Amino acid sequence: MGANEMGPIGQAVRRREDQRFLTGAGQYTDDVTMARETYAYFLRSPHAHAKIRGIDSQDAKAAPGVVAIYTGDDLVGVNGLPCGWLITGTDGKPMNEPPHPVLAKGKVRHVGDPVAMIVAETLHQAKDAAELVVVDYEVLPSVVNVVDALKPGAPQIHDEAPGNRCYTWALGDQAAVDAAFAKAHHVAKVDIVNNRLVPNAIEPRAAVAAYSRADESYTLYVTSQNPHVERLLMTAFVLGLPETKVRVIAPDVGGGFGSKIYLYAEETAMVWASKHVRRPLRWAAERSESFISDAHGRDHVTHAEMAVDKDGKFLALRVTTTANVGAYLSTFASCIPTILYATLLAGQYATPAIHCEVTAVFTNTVPVDAYRGAGRPEATYVVERVVNQVGVDLGIAQDEIRRRNFIRTFPYATPVALTYDTGNYDATLDEAMRLADVAGFAARKAEAARRGKLRGLGYSSYIEACGLAPSNIAGALGARAGLYEAGQVRVNPTGGVTVFTGSHSHGQGHETTFAQIVAGRLGIDIGTVEIVHGDTGRIPFGMGTYGSRSLAVGGTAIVKALDKIVAKGKKIAAHLLEAAEADIEFADGKFTVAGTDRSKAFGEVALAAYVPHNYPLDKLEPGLDETAFYDPTNFTYPAGTHICEVEIDPETGVTEVVAFAACDDFGNIINPMIVEGQVHGGLAQGLGQALLEHCVYDRGSGQLVSGSLMDYALPRADDLPTFKVGTKVTPCTHNPLGAKGCGEAGAIGAPPALINAVLDALAAVGVKDIQMPASPHRVWQAIQAAKSGAVATA
């Protein structure tokens, strides 16, 4: 876009959607009501691993208010839930892909596995009836730890996956890495556990499903981040229904963070059942139910080694990761620890050789899939922890070790299959250090020491890949879907504009930022722009919202549709102004004959398109409505540096985040206020993982120990400091907006920054290593171990 086409782009326009949210006028799935609706309740396995010897539901079916009860055996003709990405292992064979039944058949494989669906007149009646269903379980040994699951003799979860192995996959040049290690001056090593997380969007998952006998169609209201993908997977792979007979609507959605991307069992069973009971069904998860049914995140165990020369220049990186995928493969589970993880292990550094091997493992736990960042946080944590260790081992300052190895020439082809188009990593590091007042840290550390406290400063220089693309390359790597986005721009006769987008908004502010793009390009008032999303019955086929792709991919599709609108507008204006089409220019909402003052306003041209009096209908059709699809040619690469400052009480192990500075490069920014909000939210989640959150299973029983918000610690306002954030801009070179994406950066950069800060503080008492989360107990234990001369790790 040229400078004269920017309009409100770049301005901190207040979010238009907030008016309805703040006044209680939002329309969420659980707000949808239908006549004669029933309530669904899912009976779930109390065991981590067990055979189902029988299910007796006769008494339950006779209970008051019960409409129907269904088990896995009743779902005849219903296939299992699909995985959307095929990974090919190092042995050249496709990954082991066991069936994922909608309702358990013959066996349950994790606590919370759905066994039966009870449909009743009220929710309480459904719950009461569920207590009358008798399931005869033969309890089997379980395994929840990813390392334990690979040991000889571990409980076998799926017959189709011997040894519980889904795949072993690798990326990079192993021979080059081995050669570099052989001549290295020093090798820095870290062992890392990337702790399992439970997504906790403010709105739990919910669904309302209805069947119409009039046209044999289905309507599903659901808390989804990508309704078209949900419909495609459900109809084509599971229920065998024509897409034209299923309408999926994702209304206002209260957050997702990845956990609402996937096709889940609950809504699938409800759509199937809606035809059988001939009445609508509704369901909303309770919070404790979400803990055992929503896809979890992270859960990697990694060993990483960095080979360096005597000056601290990186020679090679070697990474071995074991990734927990849970009991079944969720929709995109297979690509998170592979395509979206290993490809980011170069980070911001010109490391000549990299090799990564990943083994994905089934366990008796809730399936693991994308969670805010999706593979990129895991990669950044590995890179920034081992880079930090290099600095510590060689006695090189943390900013200096990074500067010695930054990439400075673009485009840059990494050893792990990506090509960065642009960046300026020195600029973001410099600004982050200024915001963090690194120069004054020594004085603050000394002052804390006088109070008996330990101060530490931690760096994280991250990069992420957003706007997953292009489709043909992704397809070659195993993607079972396209990765484009669609945008339709409909200009109404009076000049107002309706935009239909395949991207879904669930907190990102699309109704504002997309409207800013349209208003800026067409030179019209932003209040005349309407954004429509989330309804497969109204919007063109699109891939939804995830991976910070909405602006770079969805926004670009809208821009391309706008270009078509302007092109047709020039044809109409040329007719109205009796000029050659080549002489028509468009700027500031006007079509003008070049070199004259003769013009037509955008609204006049719009009206002429729909009232084609004296219109050359043989050359120009009426209407002003255009659609465009955009499939990117490359990822976008947001990057930045985050610096965390902590203070630790050595007597209690309590860690306080006293300051946090972040400087990010998101390319061109459409709305700086929304971007800052996205960064703040990501930082809260990233610090939550590093400091507080930990999903824990009992290794004996397989029970989820941290199964509610009583036991799973989410960050609160008083856990976080006032963030100091800034931006630098190197525009993306391959989309017309120059945008890169911002939604996940905070969750990517924050965890290693905090842990590196904790280790910097604890170095004073001899602690060498600590795992996430840096809880008071864990920090205190590490300090005590160091005092006793034991191995000072935790």
Side-chain angles (χ1 to χ4, degrees):
M1 284 188 166
N4 64 331
E5 300 172 343
M6 297 298 281
I9 292 175
Q11 297 179 15
V13 176
R14 290 188 177 182
R15 288 174 27 128
R16 304 194 305 167
E17 48 269 71
D18 285 351
Q19 176 67 25
R20 72 175 185 272
F21 295 147
L22 294 173
T23 58
Q27 181 78 358
Y28 297 90
T29 297
D30 206 41
D31 294 322
V32 175
T33 58
M34 294 185 177
R36 301 179 64 246
E37 66 185 10
T38 61
Y39 288 78
Y41 178 78
F42 290 88
L43 178 66
R44 300 181 183 277
S45 170
H47 305 292
H49 199 197
K51 291 181 179 178
I52 299 175
R53 292 192 291 209
I55 302 175
D56 183 354
S57 60
Q58 292 305 307
D59 289 346
K61 289 178 179 178
V66 172
V67 176
I69 296 177
Y70 300 107
T71 66
D73 290 338
D74 296 314
L75 273 60
V76 178
V78 175
N79 297 318
L81 302 178
C83 179
W85 203 294
L86 175 66
I87 295 296
T88 300
T90 54
D91 58 1
K93 297 179 181 178
M95 64 188 185
N96 294 320
E97 195 171 357
H100 184 179
V102 173
L103 296 176
K105 290 184 178 181
K107 199 176 185 185
V108 291
R109 294 177 172 86
H110 69 88
V111 173
D113 212 352
V115 175
M117 178 174 66
I118 296 90
V119 183
E121 300 289 348
T122 70
L123 178 59
H124 290 299
Q125 288 175 330
K127 286 184 174 183
D128 289 344
E131 295 185 2
L132 300 176
V133 176
V134 179
V135 183
D136 183 9
Y137 292 107
E138 179 186 335
V139 178
L140 302 172
S142 62
V143 60
V144 297
N145 180 272
V146 69
V147 175
D148 294 344
L150 287 176
K151 293 178 179 177
Q156 181 70 38
I157 298 168
H158 295 279
D159 293 339
E160 298 85 353
N164 298 321
R165 193 180 300 260
C166 180
Y167 56 76
T168 295
W169 174 93
L171 180 66
D173 188 336
Q174 186 172 5
V177 168
D178 291 345
F181 269 80
K183 66 178 183 180
H185 169 74
H186 176 73
V187 175
K189 301 178 181 181
V190 292
D191 286 291
I192 292 168
V193 176
N194 203 299
N195 44 321
R196 177 183 280 243
L197 302 176
V198 179
N200 273 283
I202 194 168
E203 178 199 23
R205 286 193 300 115
V208 178
Y211 172 75
S212 171
R213 286 180 290 174
D215 59 359
E216 297 184 322
S217 68
Y218 302 79
T219 301
L220 172 66
Y221 289 86
V222 65
T223 50
S224 175
Q225 297 177 218
N226 44 4
H228 266 297
V229 174
E230 172 119 358
R231 182 177 73 166
L232 173 64
L233 295 175
M234 183 183 295
T235 57
F237 294 95
V238 185
L239 298 182
L241 298 171
E243 273 188 279
T244 55
K245 291 298 183 180
V246 179
R247 181 181 182 184
V248 176
I249 303 171
D252 289 329
V253 174
F257 313 120
S259 68
K260 294 174 182 173
I261 295 174
Y262 323 118
L263 179 64
Y264 283 99
E266 292 85 2
E267 60 257 30
T268 306
M270 291 169 65
V271 169
W272 177 87
S274 66
K275 180 177 182 179
H276 290 75
V277 301
R278 300 297 175 102
R279 292 172 63 183
L281 292 83
R282 67 181 306 109
W283 167 79
E286 297 177 359
R287 184 62 64 180
S288 57
E289 186 177 16
S290 296
F291 271 76
I292 56 173
S293 62
D294 292 7
H296 292 176
R298 317 290 192 245
D299 205 346
H300 288 191
V301 175
T302 296
H303 177 75
E305 301 178 348
M306 181 75 84
V308 298
D309 68 14
K310 61 182 178 59
D311 298 316
K313 292 283 286 185
F314 301 161
L315 301 177
L317 175 65
R318 179 188 288 144
V319 176
T320 304
T321 293
T322 308
N324 194 339
V325 296
Y328 306 99
L329 282 173
S330 179
T331 307
F332 293 111
S334 55
C335 73
I336 306 306
T338 51
I339 306 302
L340 296 182
Y341 167 68
T343 55
L344 273 300
L345 288 172
Q348 298 184 8
Y349 310 109
T351 308
I354 300 173
H355 183 264
C356 177
E357 182 179 271
V358 178
T359 299
V361 182
F362 292 105
T363 63
N364 294 116
T365 63
V366 172
V368 178
D369 210 315
Y371 176 67
R372 196 170 190 169
R376 282 75 54 85
E378 295 92 319
T380 295
Y381 192 70
V382 170
V383 172
E384 289 306 295
R385 287 283 288 104
V386 76
V387 167
N388 186 84
Q389 193 63 48
V390 171
V392 171
D393 290 354
L394 300 184
I396 301 173
Q398 291 299 327
D399 62 318
E400 177 61 23
I401 192 63
R402 286 164 171 77
R403 291 187 201 279
R404 291 187 190 183
N405 292 282
F406 275 160
I407 298 163
R408 293 186 174 87
T409 302
F410 296 91
Y412 176 82
T414 75
V416 278
L418 299 183
T419 299
Y420 303 164
D421 62 328
T422 185
N424 187 342
Y425 309 141
D426 289 285
T428 50
L429 175 58
D430 289 343
E431 179 63 7
M433 291 179 69
R434 187 191 69 80
L435 291 170
D437 185 22
V438 171
F441 174 70
R444 297 192 297 275
K445 184 181 180 74
E447 187 277 331
R450 288 192 292 271
R451 293 183 285 108
K453 302 297 176 64
L454 306 172
R455 279 247 176 174
L457 200 66
Y459 290 70
S460 171
S461 295
Y462 77 91
I463 193 166
E464 58 170 322
C466 300
L468 183 60
S471 292
N472 57 349
I473 293 178
L477 294 173
R480 289 166 167 166
L483 297 169
Y484 52 83
E485 197 47 82
Q488 179 185 1
V489 177
R490 178 179 299 164
V491 181
N492 301 308
T494 56
V497 176
T498 303
V499 176
F500 302 88
T501 174
S503 297
H504 185 274
S505 182
H506 41 276
Q508 294 86 353
H510 293 172
E511 293 174 38
T512 303
T513 51
F514 285 169
Q516 286 181 260
I517 292 171
V518 174
R521 180 70 175 98
L522 299 182
I524 60 178
D525 187 278
I526 193 172
T528 65
V529 181
E530 177 192 15
I531 306 297
V532 178
H533 62 88
D535 183 347
T536 62
R538 299 184 66 188
I539 62 174
F541 190 97
M543 300 307 296
T545 296
Y546 49 86
S548 301
R549 73 190 300 268
S550 295
L551 191 60
V553 186
T556 296
I558 293 171
V559 167
K560 289 185 173 294
L562 288 169
D563 289 343
K564 293 182 179 181
I565 292 290
V566 171
K568 184 173 182 180
K570 286 181 178 181
K571 296 179 185 293
I572 298 171
H575 169 69
L576 296 175
L577 294 166
E578 298 181 337
E581 180 186 338
D583 293 335
I584 301 297
E585 297 175 342
F586 180 71
D588 302 322
K590 290 183 179 181
F591 294 91
T592 304
V593 179
T596 76
D597 60 357
R598 297 168 55 217
S599 65
K600 289 290 183 180
F602 180 78
E604 294 178 278
V605 170
L607 182 61
Y610 290 95
V611 186
H613 296 166
N614 301 317
Y615 206 75
L617 294 174
D618 58 327
K619 299 178 181 178
L620 197 59
E621 63 183 18
L624 201 52
D625 187 335
E626 299 287 350
T627 299
F629 288 80
Y630 175 62
D631 198 326
T633 58
N634 192 4
F635 289 96
T636 63
Y637 298 99
T641 290
H642 294 182
I643 300 177
C644 180
E645 186 170 338
V646 301
E647 184 172 285
I648 298 174
D649 183 342
E651 298 301 317
T652 63
V654 171
T655 299
E656 179 185 359
V657 182
V658 294
F660 199 102
C663 182
D664 304 286
D665 177 3
F666 299 134
N668 290 334
I669 292 174
I670 306 300
N671 188 315
M673 180 186 69
I674 288 178
V675 166
E676 185 171 347
Q678 287 283 302
V679 171
H680 283 201
L683 292 176
Q685 284 184 281
L687 293 175
Q689 172 178 13
L691 195 63
L692 298 163
E693 299 182 49
H694 195 192
C695 177
V696 179
Y697 280 89
D698 182 88
R699 289 170 85 161
S701 66
Q703 294 294 322
L704 180 61
V705 177
S706 54
S708 75
L709 293 177
M710 294 291 289
D711 302 293
Y712 186 89
L714 290 175
R716 298 175 294 185
D718 60 355
D719 293 311
L720 306 172
T722 298
F723 299 125
K724 293 181 179 180
V725 300
T727 57
K728 295 292 181 181
V729 176
T730 60
C732 175
T733 61
H734 54 81
N735 70 59
L737 291 168
K740 296 183 179 180
C742 71
E744 297 164 301
I748 294 169
L754 186 141
I755 293 299
N756 286 341
V758 169
L759 288 171
D760 184 51
L762 294 180
V765 292
V767 175
K768 303 296 185 183
D769 194 17
I770 197 164
Q771 303 290 354
M772 295 188 290
S775 62
H777 181 63
R778 182 168 283 177
V779 171
W780 183 85
Q781 281 185 318
I783 293 171
Q784 302 313 304
K787 286 181 178 179
S788 68
V791 177
T793 62

